Amino acid sequence: MEEFAIQFRNVSKIYKLVGKDKKKSEDKKFYALRQVSFQISKGEVVGILGTNGSGKSTLATILAGISEVDEGEMTVNGEQALIAINTGLNNQLTGLENIELKGALLGLRPQRVKEIIDGVAEFSELGEFLYQPVKKYSSGMRSRLGFSINLCLDPDILIIDEALSGDKGFANKCLKRMKELKKENKTIVFISHSLPQVREFCDTALWIEGGEVREYGPVDPVSDHYSEYVEYLNSLSAKEKKEENERKFQKRLILDKRDGFWDKVLSFFQKNL
């Protein structure tokens, strides 16, 4: 029987919508993810595709154990790490202090932390910026630091959320290292808007749209179908795009079942009084 690294069974993530005044919650809830099911084998590299707002980053935080599921069940076999530009770094600390903090939180021995520091310094190529506060970093530098730390921690499962955008030279270096990790049978979940990167690097692809799985399978056909969908969206007028987005949004809403009942009652009295 094939051993799996990640398994999702009808997983849903639900958020409350914030009102227009940003102080009160509306009486509506929203499916960030809805009834998502898939299985990733150990050593597999899966590309996650989807347009903006489709649920990719929500999926990443759940996979990394940062966010909990509201419905369904997730099973992860192995230690996972999320690599994203704005995740897991303390802005007030220096790059070096962030590494030391991560090591302390994981309960690592001082010698192991030193090895990670040396590895991050070499791979990230941040130089003196490693000793500067992260709040002074550019997004590309944050990506370098976060990616390097998680690579040196050597997790079983790497979840990479749009962390290779920007610096092309560093992105190529990361892809090269990730290919080495692939040979080492690491499981990698690769979230990217770059179809060429997904096609080159991944075995399979998971296309999420509107919080739901649209397709899951070999990377080339799924990428082809996703590319066709993006071309279709790009062909729409501004009005048509707005209508398409609104349709997807309405489908993800969770309305109180009582709302429909009281609407009917109100309509009855309006007609008969």
Side-chain angles (χ1 to χ4, degrees), residues 15-168:
Y15 293 121
K16 283 187 177 181
L17 293 177
V18 177
K20 291 181 180 179
D21 59 4
K22 296 185 179 180
K23 294 180 181 180
K24 297 179 180 179
S25 294
E26 297 181 357
D27 294 328
K28 296 178 182 178
K29 294 180 180 179
F30 173 82
Y31 276 114
L33 294 175
R34 183 174 188 172
Q35 297 285 300
V36 172
S37 296
F38 62 88
Q39 181 170 303
I40 299 175
S41 301
K42 284 193 174 182
E44 190 173 6
V45 181
V46 179
I48 308 295
L49 300 172
T51 56
N52 289 333
S54 60
K56 302 188 301 299
S57 290
T58 298
L59 177 66
T61 58
I62 291 175
L63 281 170
I66 296 171
S67 181
E68 296 182 354
V69 304
D70 292 311
E71 297 173 354
E73 186 179 356
M74 176 185 75
T75 304
V76 175
N77 292 323
E79 181 182 329
Q80 70 270 48
L82 172 63
I83 301 175
I85 290 174
N86 294 312
T87 301
L89 297 175
N90 186 318
N91 284 331
Q92 303 308 313
L93 301 180
T94 66
L96 178 63
E97 289 168 340
N98 268 282
I99 301 170
E100 292 171 337
L101 176 61
K102 186 81 170 182
L105 291 173
L106 293 173
L108 302 179
R109 295 180 178 179
Q111 180 58 35
R112 177 65 180 127
V113 174
K114 184 181 183 305
E115 291 172 357
I116 293 171
I117 291 171
D118 292 342
V120 170
E122 180 181 354
F123 192 87
S124 69
E125 300 174 358
L126 285 171
E128 291 300 314
F129 279 100
L130 193 61
Y131 310 102
Q132 306 304 314
V134 168
K135 63 184 179 183
K136 295 183 178 180
Y137 284 20
S138 66
S139 60
M141 292 164 65
R142 291 175 62 89
S143 177
R144 282 172 175 260
L145 178 62
F147 200 102
S148 301
I149 291 174
N150 284 292
L151 278 181
C152 293
L153 285 171
D154 196 31
D156 303 304
I157 302 167
L158 277 169
I159 304 146
I160 302 165
D161 184 8
E162 297 292 349
L164 298 187
S165 56
D167 188 332
K168 189 174 181 180

Side-chain angles (χ1 to χ4, degrees), residues 158-186:
L158 277 169
I159 304 146
I160 302 165
D161 184 8
E162 297 292 349
L164 298 187
S165 56
D167 188 332
K168 189 174 181 180
F170 186 69
N172 289 334
K173 182 177 182 178
C174 291
L175 281 170
K176 183 179 179 180
R177 177 65 182 124
M178 286 159 57
K179 288 175 182 177
E180 293 171 358
L181 292 173
K182 185 176 179 180
K183 292 178 182 177
E184 295 171 14
N185 210 36
K186 298 286 186 181

